[in-house]
């Protein structure tokens, strides 16, 4: 007798949940958009959006908040992937916010444009009248993100208040908002970093080259390996060293560190992640090391 296996894999369950969330947003909101930086989480969201609406095109634009201090490999990938899909890419520029006097650029040894993204993002949401914004945040990344709902309500100032979140019993999502308010939507909430990489392997998804081990000139600061770049002033006691590194996450080059690695394939990256006890943000993001409350502070300000 022919026996059929009707079991569903963990990835199938996560994929189905994320696709359901995306379709719910497309049906419930008028002007959603998807934050797309060219990083692995937003790349996975893009694949999920393809599947959710295939064979129709993705029914919302992609948006990147560009600090101007990004890895060139990631920006090239971002532009090429959007063009391949025929998707509309909206680039919100931090430099434009600086030029307009909306924000003031930091100075000094640890200056970064990362926090300046908040104003640029909120301005872009208001200017384009987006009422729902897909983000790639996952609950396994950090304590503040573990408090987040899938539909995360933001007030008319773009601020997040954990006490003001709506219940999501039985996966019922409340998207009711007034003019000026919006919802941040996190389809990958229940995924882990390992789930993301397993999905990339299963789907054969292309990712930027800096996720794989490569030789790069770096220097050590505060226990992190930062890239040699014109955007980071380097002290005399911070010598350059060339070593094999890769990036577990991508963001502003001034606060995103590399990790030593020899992983040059997705399979090797999965093996590496499976034995690590530190999240990618804790390992490679200087702004999240500042204090345990750093992420929650920025979420309240409106960026994450």
């Amino acid at each position: 007798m022919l026996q059929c296996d009707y079991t569903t894999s963990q990835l199938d369950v996560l994929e189905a949940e994320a696709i359901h969330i995306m379709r719910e947003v497309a049906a419930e909101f008028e002007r959603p958009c998807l934050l797309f930086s060219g990083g692995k989480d937003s790349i996975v969201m893009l694949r999920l959006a393809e599947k959710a609406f295939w064979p129709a095109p993705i029914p919302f634009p992609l948006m990147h908040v560009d600090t101007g201090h990004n890895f060139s490999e990631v920006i090239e990938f971002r532009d090429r992937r959007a063009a391949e899909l025929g998707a509309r890419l909206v680039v919100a520029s931090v430099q434009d916010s600086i030029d307009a006097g909306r924000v003031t650029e930091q100075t000094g040894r640890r200056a970064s444009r990362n926090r300046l993204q908040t104003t640029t993002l909120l301005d872009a949401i208001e200017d384009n009248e987006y009422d729902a914004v897909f983000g790639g945040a996952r609950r396994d990344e950090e304590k503040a993100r573990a408090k987040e709902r899938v539909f995360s309500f933001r007030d008319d100032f773009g601020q997040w208040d954990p006490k003001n979140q709506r219940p999501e019993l039985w996966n019922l999502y409340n998207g009711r908002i007034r003019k000026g308010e919006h919802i941040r939507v996190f389809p990958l909430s229940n995924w882990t970093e390992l789930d993301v990489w397993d999905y990339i392997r299963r789907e054969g998804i292309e990712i930027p080259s800096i996720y794989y081990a490569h030789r790069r000139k770096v220097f050590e600061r505060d226990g992190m390996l930062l890239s040699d770049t014109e955007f980071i002033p380097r002290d005399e006691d911070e010598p350059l060293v060339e070593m094999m590194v890769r990036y577990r996450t991508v963001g502003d080059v001034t606060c995103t560190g590399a990790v030593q690695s020899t992983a040059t394939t997705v399979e090797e990256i999965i093996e590496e992640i499976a034995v690590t006890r530190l999240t990618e943000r804790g390992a490679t993001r200087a702004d999240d090391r500042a204090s345990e409350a750093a992420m929650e502070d920025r979420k309240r300000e409106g960026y994450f």
Side-chain angles (χ1 to χ4, degrees), residues 38-41 71 138 140-141 192-194 196-197 200 207-214 224-225 245-251 256-261 263 269-270 272-285 289:
K40 68 181 187 307
D41 298 313
F71 294 94
R138 307 188 318 269
D140 75 316
E141 291 181 287
T192 66
E193 183 184 10
L194 195 56
V196 169
W197 282 107
I200 289 171
I207 56 176
S209 60
I210 66 171
Y211 278 113
Y212 300 110
H214 58 284
M224 294 179 57
L225 298 175
V245 299
R246 73 174 190 87
Y247 288 87
R248 288 177 65 184
T249 185
V250 299
T256 304
V259 295
Q260 287 187 271
S261 174
I269 290 174
I270 290 173
E272 189 177 272
I273 293 171
V275 298
T276 188
R277 298 175 62 87
L278 195 60
T279 68
E280 69 264 43
R281 297 196 71 88
T284 64
R285 292 298 293 271
R289 288 183 169 193

Side-chain angles (χ1 to χ4, degrees), residues 67-85:
T67 67
H69 293 172
N70 296 288
F71 294 94
S72 58
E73 300 95 328
V74 179
I75 296 301
E76 182 277 329
F77 179 91
R78 177 202 72 183
D79 294 342
R80 176 167 54 82
R81 193 72 188 102
E84 289 170 353
L85 291 174

Side-chain angles (χ1 to χ4, degrees), residues 152-171:
S152 179
F153 172 76
R154 304 300 168 101
D155 64 21
D156 50 2
F157 294 103
Q159 296 175 323
W160 172 79
D161 183 349
K163 297 179 181 178
N164 202 24
Q165 300 305 296
R166 289 122 181 222
E168 292 177 342
L169 302 176
W170 308 292
N171 293 335

Side-chain angles (χ1 to χ4, degrees), residues 9-73:
S9 72
Q10 169 77 356
L11 285 183
D12 288 334
V13 172
L14 291 172
E15 179 188 67
E17 177 188 54
I19 286 175
H20 164 69
I21 291 166
M22 287 190 163
R23 289 173 175 167
E24 186 75 12
V25 169
E28 193 168 346
F29 294 89
E30 295 183 4
R31 296 180 64 85
C33 77
L34 187 150
L35 292 178
F36 181 67
S37 64
K40 68 181 187 307
D41 298 313
S42 62
I43 291 170
V44 166
M45 282 203 302
L46 196 58
R47 172 56 62 89
L48 292 167
E50 286 184 81
K51 286 192 169 188
F53 304 105
W54 181 264
I58 297 173
F60 38 74
L62 316 180
M63 181 169 69
H64 181 213
V65 181
D66 187 353
T67 67
H69 293 172
N70 296 288
F71 294 94
S72 58
E73 300 95 328

Side-chain angles (χ1 to χ4, degrees), residues 119-134:
T119 299
T120 306
L121 172 63
L122 294 179
D123 285 348
I125 291 173
E126 182 177 1
D127 293 344
N128 292 281
E129 298 182 340
Y130 295 134
D131 52 4
V133 180
F134 288 105

